[in-house]
Amino acid sequence: MSLRLGFRRRIPKGEKLDVAIIGGGPAGLSAALYSARFLLKTAVLTENVGGQLLNTDYVDDYPGLGKIRATDLISKFRSHAERLFNVPIYDGIKVDKIEKVDDTWFRLRGNGVDIYAKAIILAIGSLRRRLGVPGEKEYSGHGVSYCSICDAPFFRGKNSVVVVGGGDSALEGALVLSGYVKKVYLVHRRREFRAKPFYVELVRSKNNIEFLLDTVVKKIKGDSNKVTSVVVENKATKERKELKIDGIFIEIGFEPPKEWFKKIGLKTDERGYLKVDEWMRTNIEGIFAAGDCTNVWIGFRQIITASAMGAVAAYAVYNHLIEKGLYKPNKTVISTKERNG
Ligand code: NAP
């Protein structure tokens, strides 16, 4: 999804950049504005602008902004990089191939892109985890959703839905859905929540949200069109019951795009997240990473942490390009060596 309809910019074929940022969530857009502040020729290539923020309703934990709609925050991130610092942002782009051409250039190719960059910041986020139960695939998009915040309005006035998961996404999703449907079942496989206590308290205060804890989904059932019920099982008693529902929201976290990383030759940790050092460097010289695709601060994926990683990655790219003799800072810019003594 793009926040802009109609006109879509196309990146010129053969374009040469100091740094190509892949991904347009908070990590990528923060990297973009920092990179532009270092006067690097920068562009953002992304499938959509906003990243995981597109799956959020309101944000109230980004310092200095109070409570703000996620869509408004995305617009602020975007216009900060694009309008204030003139970084072009190209959406609708999927990069498939990254090759090292010579000592200076990487070539990036994919859907809508064939360009060169001296350095790359990967800020591509992660993918939604699937439950893997019968009926899930069959009814995906027909009552099975992976984004409560995006799809809740389609369920306005319905009788009941299930939300699966015990993290921030599931609890935030249950809260939003409780404003649209008569009854929300929150199905979680443990008794303890991974979500922030703040969300747990809020969910507990809603009288149309019922907790089904220590409980797992066994099967999603439906008619020829859509989901009609779900079979759940209590893990302790093995008791099964079938809940009549209009939809099921699977909010059980994310997984990194491991196969894509492997294809490029990037090293990951045992869970598949990109291994980076404290300067967001990957195992391939010249390729940096930031945000949810990295192995940094797993379990605390926040806008502010992703943004911080983006800023650090941009600074590291700037230093890398100077050290490799691939970028000469303008005389008015103090080099890292001068700055660090
Ligand atoms: P998460 O924190 O990884 O939580 C996933 C939840 O799903 C866990 O409760 C987990 O159970 C459960 N789960 C995982 N695999 C499952 C399976 N196969 N079957 C059943 N349940 C399963 O994911 P998330 O809630 O999407 O959050 C991801 C990150 O984004 C977190 O860092 C979170 O803080 C952040 N986030 C922040 C906000 C916010 O601050 N407003 C909003 C949304 C997300 P267990 O607990 O038993 O492992």
Side-chain angles (χ1 to χ4, degrees):
M1 185 175 115
S2 162
L3 285 178
R4 288 190 173 184
L5 300 173
F7 175 69
R8 179 168 269 171
R9 296 171 82 164
R10 297 191 73 80
I11 187 160
K13 189 166 187 273
E15 176 78 305
K16 291 193 161 161
L17 301 169
D18 289 322
V19 55
I21 296 168
I22 309 179
L29 296 178
S30 301
L33 80 89
Y34 270 84
S35 173
R37 295 284 273 149
F38 291 120
L39 305 181
L40 300 176
K41 187 176 178 191
T42 307
V44 176
L45 316 168
T46 185
E47 286 187 68
N48 52 47
V49 177
Q52 292 305 335
L53 262 179
L54 290 168
N55 308 325
T56 303
D57 198 7
Y58 281 94
V59 173
D60 62 4
D61 52 10
Y62 196 80
L65 294 180
K67 185 172 177 181
I68 181 170
R69 268 199 175 278
T71 45
D72 292 337
L73 184 56
I74 297 170
S75 299
K76 281 184 185 293
F77 266 97
R78 178 174 194 149
S79 64
H80 197 162
E82 199 173 37
R83 304 240 170 94
L84 197 58
F85 294 118
N86 293 317
V87 179
I89 296 171
Y90 301 98
D91 58 4
I93 286 183
K94 194 165 161 44
V95 176
D96 294 325
K97 245 186 184 172
I98 297 176
E99 303 155 273
K100 186 90 182 128
V101 180
D102 55 29
D103 288 345
T104 305
W105 299 107
F106 288 99
R107 185 176 183 189
L108 294 87
R109 280 185 287 176
N111 169 22
V113 64
D114 185 356
I115 61 155
Y116 296 86
K118 293 177 190 167
I120 294 168
I121 297 175
L122 296 174
I124 60 174
S126 48
L127 309 166
R128 287 174 178 278
R129 190 174 283 134
R130 301 291 193 250
L131 208 45
V133 295
E136 180 181 11
K137 212 168 168 185
E138 196 181 338
Y139 291 106
S140 180
H142 301 277
V144 174
S145 164
Y146 296 90
C147 182
S148 313
I149 311 268
C150 326
D151 294 341
F154 299 122
F155 290 78
R156 189 189 297 274
K158 296 281 185 202
N159 280 322
S160 57
V161 294
V162 158
V163 176
V164 190
D168 286 336
S169 301
L171 274 83
E172 192 187 10
L175 277 171
V176 170
L177 281 158
S178 71
Y180 287 94
V181 300
K182 292 180 187 126
K183 169 112 188 176
V184 178
Y185 297 99
L186 181 66
V187 175
H188 178 38
R189 65 184 178 184
R190 291 192 295 143
R191 302 202 73 77
E192 300 76 31
F193 289 98
R194 202 173 278 276
K196 295 187 190 79
F198 161 78
Y199 279 128
V200 180
E201 286 304 304
L202 265 176
V203 170
R204 281 196 201 285
S205 73
K206 299 278 173 192
N207 52 21
N208 66 339
I209 303 181
E210 182 177 334
F211 287 77
L212 295 174
L213 303 181
D214 236 351
T215 299
V216 291
V217 171
K218 298 305 277 187
K219 191 174 187 176
I220 297 165
K221 291 163 100 176
D223 57 21
S224 56
N225 286 320
K226 56 174 183 51
V227 167
T228 52
S229 67
V230 64
V231 178
V232 295
E233 182 183 277
N234 183 291
K235 281 167 67 190
T237 62
K238 298 287 170 214
E239 187 200 333
R240 283 191 181 200
K241 55 181 168 188
E242 188 166 341
L243 307 169
K244 273 193 79 182
I245 52 161
D246 299 290
I248 174 166
F249 295 81
I250 299 168
E251 298 275 14
I252 58 169
F254 296 84
E255 276 179 355
K258 307 173 208 177
E259 295 311 313
W260 194 81
F261 295 151
K262 211 185 276 172
K263 217 167 68 179
I264 291 163
L266 290 159
K267 282 209 177 119
T268 62
D269 69 4
E270 62 294 346
R271 288 162 293 197
Y273 291 100
L274 276 179
K275 269 190 182 170
V276 289
D277 66 8
E278 77 274 24
W279 290 109
M280 313 314 292
R281 289 179 283 222
T282 69
N283 61 300
I284 300 181
E285 192 176 46
I287 303 188
F288 299 73
D292 291 4
C293 62
T294 71
N295 65 342
V296 180
W297 298 326
I298 294 174
F300 196 57
R301 300 304 200 189
Q302 301 292 298
I303 304 160
I304 193 165
T305 53
S307 304
M309 286 189 244
V312 171
Y315 180 55
V317 164
Y318 172 69
N319 289 333
H320 164 77
L321 293 179
I322 293 173
E323 278 153 23
K324 290 279 154 196
L326 298 175
Y327 178 75
K328 287 205 192 321
N330 182 306
K331 282 209 176 65
T332 59
V333 178
I334 305 163
S335 78
T336 321
K337 281 205 173 112
E338 284 168 308
R339 189 180 297 117
N340 295 340

